[in-house]
Amino acid sequence: MQGRALCKAFSQNGVSTAILDRVDIDIFQHDFTVIMGPSGAGKSTLLYALSGMDRITDGKIAYQGKTISRYSENQMARLRSQEFGFVFQQTHLVSNLSLYENVAVAGYVGKKRSPQEAAKRAEALLEQMNVGSAKDRFPAQVSGGEAQRAAIARAMINDPGLLFADEPTGALNKSNSEDVLNLLSQLNQSGQSILMVTHDVRAALRGNRILYLEDGKVLDELNLPVYDAGQLKERETQVNGWLSALQW
């Protein structure tokens, strides 16, 4: 995915405020890319713009060689359901559907598999996310960590080319956060491309590429090896040093 000269502005009472200011960004296949920055920097706005959930004011977004920023709403909806996966701070699971039904329905909507194949894929993903035993429970009957793991299964049901994650551990305690981050790392190491927004350094350590956004602009970039829990201390020191130099 590629974004060029991305601008996003809001107008209120005749005053225009720039949220994204001519941002250039590349999201490379198989990378775990992280976007960090202070509150109000435009992190989530950039993620929503790249995923087509929000429209840019100016600029160009391309995915697999196609300029998706020119797509109609119907074209974008189809692209999101078939090629993108989404994980948010809140799970947005449908409360009156079981975990299994939440995942399977997303597979039916994506139409990349037959209903029977989508059903099997849903069960397999819930097992992979370690919530297979809770598949028949409703979201209110499971822990926050279990619900978020089910949400990741839902995001993966249509084999997305790119998985978008917006503060995926923001509502979880430390233990559940680690479980979710471990799953994201495992997905990335199996080849899944991920773009994650976070303010949490522990989460950012999972990326092999961290972009620092401030005042709607990418100020700097840090490239790292693929995450290795055995080298966590050294990685944490490097990332904290980089952030400190940026006056994080």
Side-chain angles (χ1 to χ4, degrees), residues 1-228:
M1 175 171 278
Q2 185 182 76
R4 290 292 178 267
L6 303 182
C7 296
K8 179 68 178 180
F10 295 96
S11 294
Q12 188 173 17
N13 299 325
V15 178
S16 180
T17 302
I19 307 301
L20 300 178
D21 187 6
R22 298 189 61 79
V23 171
D24 290 335
I25 186 170
D26 293 283
I27 307 301
F28 301 111
Q29 191 173 17
H30 307 311
D31 270 7
F32 194 147
T33 305
V34 176
I35 300 175
M36 296 193 76
S39 297
K43 303 183 297 296
S44 292
T45 300
L46 179 56
L47 183 144
Y48 292 167
L50 291 171
S51 65
M53 290 191 293
D54 195 6
R55 292 289 187 174
I56 53 175
T57 306
D58 197 10
K60 176 183 175 181
I61 301 170
Y63 178 72
Q64 295 183 345
K66 297 179 181 179
T67 305
I68 64 173
S69 47
R70 297 175 185 167
Y71 275 16
S72 67
E73 291 300 327
N74 285 340
Q75 286 176 308
M76 278 308 312
R78 189 177 306 113
L79 180 69
R80 286 193 299 267
S81 68
Q82 295 183 346
E83 292 295 329
F84 297 160
F86 297 92
V87 183
F88 303 97
Q89 181 171 335
Q90 304 300 325
T91 64
H92 299 297
L93 296 172
V94 180
S95 61
N96 61 345
L97 296 180
S98 68
L99 300 188
Y100 163 75
E101 290 168 335
N102 267 280
V103 178
V105 164
Y108 304 154
V109 172
K111 297 181 180 178
K112 294 182 77 170
R113 293 180 170 85
S114 69
Q116 294 81 7
E117 291 171 332
K120 290 181 181 179
R121 171 73 170 157
E123 292 208 22
L125 280 168
L126 287 167
E127 288 291 340
Q128 182 182 346
M129 302 301 150
N130 301 317
V131 283
S133 61
K135 68 176 185 176
D136 295 323
R137 297 178 191 167
F138 295 105
Q141 297 175 320
V142 299
S143 70
E146 288 172 323
Q148 189 65 297
R149 281 180 267 154
I152 295 173
R154 180 184 58 189
M156 293 298 299
I157 186 69
N158 292 316
D159 303 312
L162 183 55
L163 178 63
F164 294 89
D166 188 10
E167 301 282 8
T169 61
L172 302 177
N173 61 29
K174 184 176 180 180
S175 175
N176 284 325
S177 292
E178 284 299 307
D179 288 343
V180 166
L181 291 171
N182 286 338
L183 286 172
L184 291 175
S185 290
Q186 290 165 17
L187 289 170
N188 174 246
Q189 289 165 16
S190 67
Q192 178 64 52
S193 305
I194 300 174
L195 175 60
M196 179 175 71
V197 163
T198 187
H199 67 278
D200 185 348
V201 176
R202 291 178 305 162
L205 294 174
R206 302 306 181 109
N208 66 284
R209 183 169 173 248
I210 308 176
L211 307 178
Y212 190 85
L213 197 70
E214 187 172 300
D215 295 330
K217 297 179 180 180
V218 177
L219 293 190
D220 204 1
E221 174 180 334
L222 178 66
N223 290 284
L224 298 162
V226 173
Y227 177 78
D228 180 353

